[in-house]
Amino acid sequence: MAPQVMTPVLMIEPSSWLRSGITVEKIDGVNLVKVTNELHDRLEELLEKRKTERLTPQEEAEYAGISELERILTFVNANLIASRDC
């Protein structure tokens, strides 16, 4: 098996949004972690801008960080749901 290639990406650390950018919401009896509406709206804004024009390096780093935070929360939530079904 070939080794996994890791590509460095400049991003704002996802942990910088832990206090202000995430919320816990109970859905079907399971506490799930989600990005706040404000942070989600910002991600959508950056995504739209990214489709139509170039983002500044700061915006690209912000987009990468928020996207990574969403991937992390998706993973955490999947594990929370799976553990509930055990």
Side-chain angles (χ1 to χ4, degrees), residues 61-73:
E62 184 181 7
Y63 174 79
I66 299 170
S67 296
E68 181 66 12
L69 179 61
E70 281 210 325
R71 281 190 290 278
I72 292 166
L73 296 182

Side-chain angles (χ1 to χ4, degrees), residues 46-86:
L46 292 168
L47 180 58
E48 284 305 310
K49 185 174 179 185
R50 192 173 198 234
K51 289 178 184 176
T52 60
E53 58 187 278
R54 294 191 68 103
L55 296 177
T56 67
Q58 176 65 26
E59 290 170 327
E60 196 63 56
E62 184 181 7
Y63 174 79
I66 299 170
S67 296
E68 181 66 12
L69 179 61
E70 281 210 325
R71 281 190 290 278
I72 292 166
L73 296 182
T74 298
F75 176 79
V76 168
N77 289 332
N79 281 293
L80 290 170
I81 292 167
S83 69
R84 180 193 87 166
D85 294 335
C86 292

Side-chain angles (χ1 to χ4, degrees), residues 4-46:
Q4 182 179 0
V5 176
M6 306 270 273
T7 305
V9 175
L10 180 63
M11 76 169 67
I12 295 175
E13 292 184 34
S15 61
S16 67
W17 288 289
L18 289 179
R19 292 191 186 270
S20 64
I22 64 169
T23 185
V24 177
E25 186 176 328
K26 187 168 260 190
I27 299 175
D28 294 330
V30 179
N31 287 326
L32 300 178
V33 236
K34 302 174 75 174
V35 296
T36 60
N37 290 336
E38 295 80 16
L39 193 57
H40 180 75
D41 291 347
R42 179 62 177 155
L43 178 62
E44 290 295 319
E45 178 184 325
L46 292 168

